[in-house]
Amino acid sequence: MRLLPRSLFGRLVLILIAGLLITQLFSTGLLLKDRIDSIRENTGIQLIQRVASLVYLLEDTPQAERARIVRAFSTPQFRTTLSDTPLPQGPNAIPSNHLAMLLRQALSENTEIRVAINPLHNGDQPERPPWRQRHDFTPERRFDEPLPAYRPRPPRNGFQASIRLSDGSWLNILRPLPEGVENWPYKLLAYLSILLASIILLSLLAVRWVTKPLGTLAEAAQNIGKDITYPPLDESGPREVQNAVRAFNTMQTRLRRYIEDRSRVLAAVSHDLKTPITRLRLRLALLKDDELQSRFDKDLDEMEQMVLATLDYLRGTESKEQPVQISITALLESLQDDAQELGWPMTLADSKAAPISGRPLALKRCLMNLIENAVRYGQAAEIRVEDSKQRLIIIIADRGEGVPEAELEGLFDPFYRRETSRARETGGTGLGLGIARNIARAHGGDVILRRGKDRGLEAVVTLPR
């Protein structure tokens, strides 16, 4: 499975092209075989009829006239001779019982017939006729010398037959196969290649046309993850595509309604929770006991901060900020200035990153939460950036003792704190990491925790480009 392309388009193209090539090669092989077999079969039937006609004619002709008839029938493609002995078969000749049987059926079962096929070998050289020999220049040869008699040899690619006549003489026949039978039919192969190329091109267009809606759906899903108000998709195309797009748009509408209803509920809850806290502060101002007033005021501050943090966590990805191009380098430098004002030990490695689209205030809060956690639990925050064409990675490392691997994911759970005293001075509310992850996921990215190379933890923020 690793050898297959990762995309659906690549896999469909690979399957189609491989299937077409295998089918085309198999069909071409069968076509060529049928072509050669058909030519050989037709040539054999014609030859048998011609040989049988010649034998019957010679049997009815006096011996004195036979030589003239044989010369009249002899052609370069059908050479006939009369002799007292049959044609000798070469060392590579292959006897053909099938053609001999057909000849006996056309003549007589008692007729003595010898038929052999002379195969063509790669080492054979074609015989040079006299008109070509005249142009062959050698020092030992003079142009005024007479040419030797041209005596053709048995065909290197054909068959020979010797048929014994009733008077005991032998009719010898040499018949080469038609030229081009054994050669590659380049014109036919060119036609098949054009046909194969056309089918592959049409297949590529069809696969692209089929898979394009999937890419559109994937892009729309990513955009909705960043902005729930992203315009709905156009419900056009084949029926299956229309149904998928319609279901996708319906899902987007329901999600948008759910988030809008949730926002209204959170706004109401926020108002209803803040109102009694405000009333308690007013009543607290009427207390004359300063020590009791200080205790109540501290509890109200803690309660208010917990309510605000809880609402921020529940609000999650909701933000009225519009995405803009953000300079990550400038954003991290501003966070470094803020950390220095608060007295936090923070270092920023020299790195350059291209601007990225996002919500600056939300990203600033995400990174600030992670930096605060690194300083609070790991003594210091060390930031470095890894940039590429596909994604931007911001790594915030600390110098703490680290956390067991099995507990890393649990740190993102709401109100989860490894510090058991539950004191806000040492443990916070337990929502900072969850808020940071929600903000990163709202930008299409994520936040994970991993153990550092030497010690401590690394918070890795991944943002897609």
Side-chain angles (χ1 to χ4, degrees):
M1 295 298 294
R2 293 182 180 179
L3 298 178
L4 291 176
R6 300 186 64 181
S7 65
L8 178 61
F9 174 78
R11 294 188 178 187
L12 289 177
V13 169
L14 178 62
I15 293 173
L16 285 175
I17 291 181
L20 287 172
L21 287 177
I22 294 174
T23 304
Q24 195 75 0
L25 291 175
F26 184 72
S27 302
T28 302
L30 291 179
L31 182 61
L32 294 176
K33 183 178 182 300
D34 291 343
R35 175 179 176 271
I36 295 175
D37 292 344
S38 177
I39 293 177
R40 286 179 173 175
E41 183 179 356
N42 293 332
T43 304
I45 294 174
Q46 293 175 3
L47 174 65
I48 290 170
Q49 294 174 352
R50 189 171 184 179
V51 171
S53 300
L54 179 58
V55 171
Y56 284 130
L57 180 60
L58 292 177
E59 293 288 357
D60 295 337
T61 303
Q63 288 186 344
E65 299 293 331
R66 287 182 180 179
R68 184 173 58 84
I69 293 176
V70 169
R71 285 194 302 270
F73 269 82
S74 183
T75 64
Q77 297 300 322
F78 187 79
R79 295 174 240 176
T80 59
T81 58
L82 282 174
S83 65
D84 296 334
T85 58
L87 285 173
Q89 295 184 0
N92 297 322
I94 304 173
S96 177
N97 296 326
H98 176 68
L99 290 177
M101 181 189 66
L102 293 178
L103 280 173
R104 287 192 183 93
Q105 291 177 356
L107 296 174
S108 173
E109 293 293 337
N110 298 325
T111 304
E112 187 175 354
I113 299 173
R114 299 180 184 181
V115 180
I117 302 297
N118 297 289
L120 177 65
H121 295 279
N122 294 331
D124 294 338
Q125 298 295 329
E127 184 181 4
R128 303 183 70 81
W131 53 86
R132 293 296 302 275
Q133 294 175 8
R134 180 179 293 273
H135 298 282
D136 294 341
F137 175 79
T138 56
E140 299 81 9
R141 188 159 162 35
R142 294 175 57 88
F143 286 102
D144 54 355
E145 294 180 1
L147 293 173
Y150 179 49
R151 297 175 181 177
R153 296 175 298 184
R156 292 178 299 276
N157 188 23
F159 58 88
Q160 63 183 52
S162 296
I163 304 167
R164 190 167 189 175
L165 301 178
S166 59
D167 61 353
S169 62
W170 289 85
L171 174 63
N172 298 321
I173 299 171
L174 297 175
R175 168 73 181 199
L177 288 178
E179 295 182 1
V181 174
E182 301 293 339
N183 298 332
W184 282 91
Y186 294 105
K187 185 179 292 186
L188 177 61
L189 294 178
Y191 291 154
L192 292 177
S193 299
I194 294 174
L195 177 62
L196 178 62
S198 302
I199 294 176
I200 290 177
L201 179 60
L202 292 176
S203 300
L204 292 177
L205 294 176
V207 171
R208 173 59 66 187
W209 181 64
V210 170
T211 57
K212 185 177 180 180
L214 296 178
T216 304
L217 284 175
E219 182 181 359
Q222 292 180 352
N223 292 329
I224 288 176
K226 299 177 182 179
D227 184 9
I228 194 62
T229 61
Y230 186 79
L233 298 177
D234 183 22
E235 298 179 4
S236 60
R239 181 176 58 186
E240 293 80 5
V241 175
Q242 290 183 8
N243 293 337
V245 173
R246 189 177 298 112
F248 187 86
N249 290 338
T250 302
M251 178 193 67
Q252 180 185 1
T253 302
R254 291 175 178 174
L255 286 174
R256 186 168 58 248
R257 290 176 181 173
Y258 168 76
I259 292 176
E260 291 174 353
D261 293 342
R262 186 165 171 262
S263 299
R264 287 193 290 268
V265 171
L266 288 175
V269 170
S270 175
H271 178 268
D272 292 343
L273 288 177
K274 290 180 180 179
T275 299
I277 293 177
T278 303
R279 288 200 301 265
L280 288 175
R281 288 189 180 279
L282 292 175
R283 294 174 182 174
L284 182 62
L286 301 177
L287 289 178
K288 297 181 180 180
D289 190 336
D290 295 337
E291 182 179 356
L292 184 61
Q293 186 180 26
S294 176
R295 293 179 181 178
F296 279 147
D297 189 56
K298 182 178 179 181
D299 291 339
L300 288 176
D301 287 340
E302 182 177 350
M303 183 184 300
E304 187 173 13
Q305 291 179 11
M306 291 181 63
V307 168
L308 293 176
T310 304
L311 291 175
D312 287 340
Y313 179 81
L314 293 176
R315 194 172 289 112
T317 61
E318 297 175 24
S319 176
K320 295 183 180 180
E321 268 192 291
Q322 295 299 321
V324 296
Q325 291 295 317
I326 305 172
S327 173
I328 295 297
T329 303
L331 178 61
L332 292 176
E333 289 176 352
S334 68
L335 289 174
Q336 188 178 27
D337 294 338
D338 295 341
Q340 290 176 354
E341 292 180 1
L342 295 173
W344 294 352
M346 171 184 166
T347 58
L348 176 61
D350 293 335
S351 59
K352 294 183 179 180
I356 190 171
S357 177
R359 300 179 178 90
L361 295 180
L363 282 179
K364 184 175 182 179
R365 182 174 188 186
C366 168
L367 297 175
M368 197 64 178
N369 284 359
L370 298 176
I371 294 171
E372 182 180 358
N373 275 10
V375 173
R376 174 177 293 178
Y377 303 110
Q379 303 174 5
E382 300 174 354
I383 302 178
R384 62 181 187 272
V385 178
E386 298 176 2
D387 195 12
S388 66
K389 295 182 179 180
Q390 292 78 25
R391 63 185 64 87
L392 174 69
I393 299 177
I394 303 173
I395 302 173
I396 303 172
D398 61 39
R399 302 173 187 171
E401 297 297 329
V403 177
E405 195 78 26
E407 297 185 30
L408 292 179
E409 189 62 26
L411 296 178
F412 290 98
D413 294 340
F415 304 106
Y416 179 87
R417 288 162 55 180
R418 298 188 73 242
E419 196 273 329
T420 57
S421 67
R422 310 301 293 178
R424 282 188 48 79
E425 292 79 3
T426 58
T429 61
L431 295 173
L433 288 177
I435 293 173
R437 171 174 277 186
N438 286 344
I439 293 174
R441 288 180 173 177
H443 285 78
D446 201 358
V447 176
I448 63 170
L449 295 177
R450 67 188 185 192
R451 296 182 63 86
K453 296 181 180 179
D454 299 327
R455 58 181 299 182
L457 286 181
E458 291 183 350
V460 183
V461 182
T462 305
L463 299 173
R465 289 201 172 277

